[in-house]
Amino acid sequence: MNTPLIDAKNLVRRYEMRRGIFGKPVEVRALDGVSLHIAAGETLGLVGESGCGKSTTGRLVLGLERPDQGSVIFEGAPMPEPGSAEWRSMRARMQMVWQDPLGALDRRLTIGEQIMEPLAIHNLGTPAERPARRDALMQAVGLRPDQGSRYPHELSGGQRQRAVLARAIATDPRLLVCDEPISALDVSIQAQVMNLFVELQQKFGMAILFISHDLRAVRQVSQRVAVMYLGRIVEEGEPDAVLHDPAHPYSQALVSAIPAPGKGKKRIVLQGDPPNPADRPPGCPFHPRCAVAVAACRSEVPALKPRHDGRLVACHLAHGDAAPLMRAA
Ligand SMILES: Nc1ncnc2c1ncn2[C@@H]1O[C@H](COP(=O)(O)OP(=O)(O)OP(=O)(O)O)[C@@H](O)[C@H]1O
Ligand SMILES: [Mg+2]
């Protein structure tokens, strides 16, 4: 295999959280040994329910935060200290797109000015060349150059996210980390913005870490998908394979929750309490909600390892002849 663009190994990230003003701080283990790699030009989709550690993974991959354990290698070199000069210059090669485009844009500047901002920060091109680059970027994301004189509040939600994308690709980054980039958008424009991601990737060839709780959205853009549960990756494989034949009991529940019109598919209703990273169960993190768990699941953490077909699964039961099947309610 070629050297991956991003190679993250065994990332552990803990936060301290206080319950009330006088409460004792408790440790929240947001990530508990996440490893992932992304090749140049590849899109990895990261899915899982709220609080499982997706955004934390994104921040660590971008070097915005340091892991407590583990390492992130970008283009063959360890991630520099956040805020250092080395880190700032590296940031031109990795950009992010967050959920809320209005929050990501400066209300006092026109979107044209904001799209040119990273060019000035990273000293790319001469000031005279930048307006032409701005117009080309706006066209690449489906905005008209004359819309560059507008302020963020004068654009629709979809147009704002296009502007954010134009700014993110201005420095020709090799990696985009996109954290729920379509979930704040109107359903009618989500599909357009998803298509735009595919187009931009084909045109500019950057790698993308695409974070979403929506497995279907992820499938549309990704070559590989990783499913997270309580700070760990529990399954990783080709999106269609994971969607049609999920191997991990948690992925089965996630897939069964996707509405499939006319198929009469039954939804697996998970039993037990929602996961709490401040109170991790021993053994497999999913075992308290798993209908097929056996004794080993309560004591031994299953490693993420390849199944006979190459699919990576962290489940004691998924490596035998027949994968475990969660029953629909
Ligand atoms: N700065 C922080 N301080 C304390 N706890 C944090 C902090 N950041 C994240 N956490 C906790 O770490 C866990 C993982 O959070 P994270 O934001 O990565 O989840 P997520 O998968 O992105 O969720 P969502 O889908 O809701 O965005 C959560 O339990 C969260 O409360
Ligand atoms: Mg998040």
Side-chain angles (χ1 to χ4, degrees):
M1 198 177 76
N2 296 333
T3 315
L5 184 78
I6 275 283
D7 194 6
K9 285 213 169 78
N10 285 319
L11 300 179
V12 173
R13 182 75 175 109
R14 302 182 206 100
Y15 295 109
E16 265 197 359
M17 199 177 60
R18 240 171 236 285
R19 290 212 176 98
I21 309 172
F22 303 110
K24 270 201 198 148
V26 288
E27 184 190 283
V28 176
R29 206 172 244 255
L31 297 188
D32 187 39
V34 166
S35 298
L36 57 85
H37 58 91
I38 309 177
E42 185 190 33
T43 299
L44 173 69
L46 194 58
V47 291
E49 68 195 303
S50 184
C52 69
K54 304 181 296 294
S55 298
T56 305
T57 305
R59 289 195 298 272
L60 262 54
V61 161
L62 282 169
L64 293 171
E65 285 177 27
R66 285 284 216 194
D68 293 300
Q69 282 171 43
S71 60
V72 179
I73 306 283
F74 177 64
E75 292 183 325
M79 195 60 73
E81 196 64 43
S84 63
E86 208 188 344
W87 180 79
R88 279 198 299 274
S89 80
M90 190 208 66
R91 284 304 310 279
R93 302 202 301 284
M94 41 175 28
Q95 294 285 343
M96 59 198 152
V97 177
W98 303 125
Q99 177 174 350
D100 170 22
L102 196 55
L105 293 166
D106 187 332
R107 287 158 199 256
R108 296 158 306 177
L109 296 177
T110 66
I111 60 153
E113 286 167 328
Q114 295 188 61
I115 291 168
M116 283 196 293
E117 221 171 28
L119 301 176
I121 291 172
H122 295 288
N123 219 359
L124 299 171
T126 63
E129 285 162 358
R130 287 177 196 151
R133 172 90 177 134
R134 171 199 62 204
D135 292 353
L137 287 163
M138 290 186 68
Q139 270 163 343
V141 298
L143 290 172
R144 290 192 316 272
D146 64 276
Q147 289 170 320
S149 58
R150 296 203 193 166
Y151 288 88
H153 68 272
E154 295 171 329
L155 295 172
S156 72
Q159 288 168 336
R160 276 181 216 134
Q161 197 59 305
R162 287 173 192 273
V164 168
L165 265 168
R167 190 179 59 180
I169 61 173
T171 57
D172 198 17
R174 293 300 81 207
L175 175 73
L176 275 187
V177 173
C178 305
D179 193 351
E180 304 274 7
I182 59 156
S183 49
L185 303 179
D186 198 274
V187 176
S188 61
I189 47 173
Q190 285 184 347
Q192 291 173 17
V193 176
M194 290 303 289
N195 289 338
L196 179 60
F197 272 102
V198 177
E199 257 174 53
L200 290 178
Q201 196 184 37
Q202 281 165 359
K203 191 163 173 191
F204 298 99
M206 70 285 220
I208 304 179
L209 176 62
F210 194 95
I211 296 172
S212 175
H213 59 273
D214 183 348
L215 195 47
R216 274 179 312 178
V218 160
R219 173 185 166 227
Q220 211 184 320
V221 289
S222 311
Q223 280 90 50
R224 250 181 327 124
V225 57
V227 179
M228 276 188 89
Y229 187 83
L230 203 51
R232 300 180 73 92
I233 292 176
V234 296
E235 179 163 358
E236 194 184 307
E238 281 176 26
D240 275 344
V242 174
L243 201 66
H244 294 128
D245 176 28
H248 194 284
Y250 173 64
S251 318
Q252 291 169 12
L254 206 63
V255 168
S256 85
I258 299 172
K263 284 206 177 152
K265 200 176 58 159
K266 287 218 174 130
R267 178 174 180 162
I268 299 168
V269 179
L270 289 178
Q271 309 297 316
D273 297 329
N276 176 5
D279 185 16
R280 301 184 64 83
C284 171
F286 185 61
H287 89 256
R289 300 168 90 191
C290 183
V292 292
V294 295
C297 309
R298 289 183 266 279
S299 55
E300 283 168 46
V301 181
L304 184 68
K305 57 183 185 190
R307 215 172 53 159
H308 55 87
D309 58 357
R311 182 100 52 94
L312 299 177
V313 195
C315 172
H316 291 305
L317 304 171
H319 295 271
D321 294 335
L325 273 185
M326 293 277 279
R327 275 182 306 277

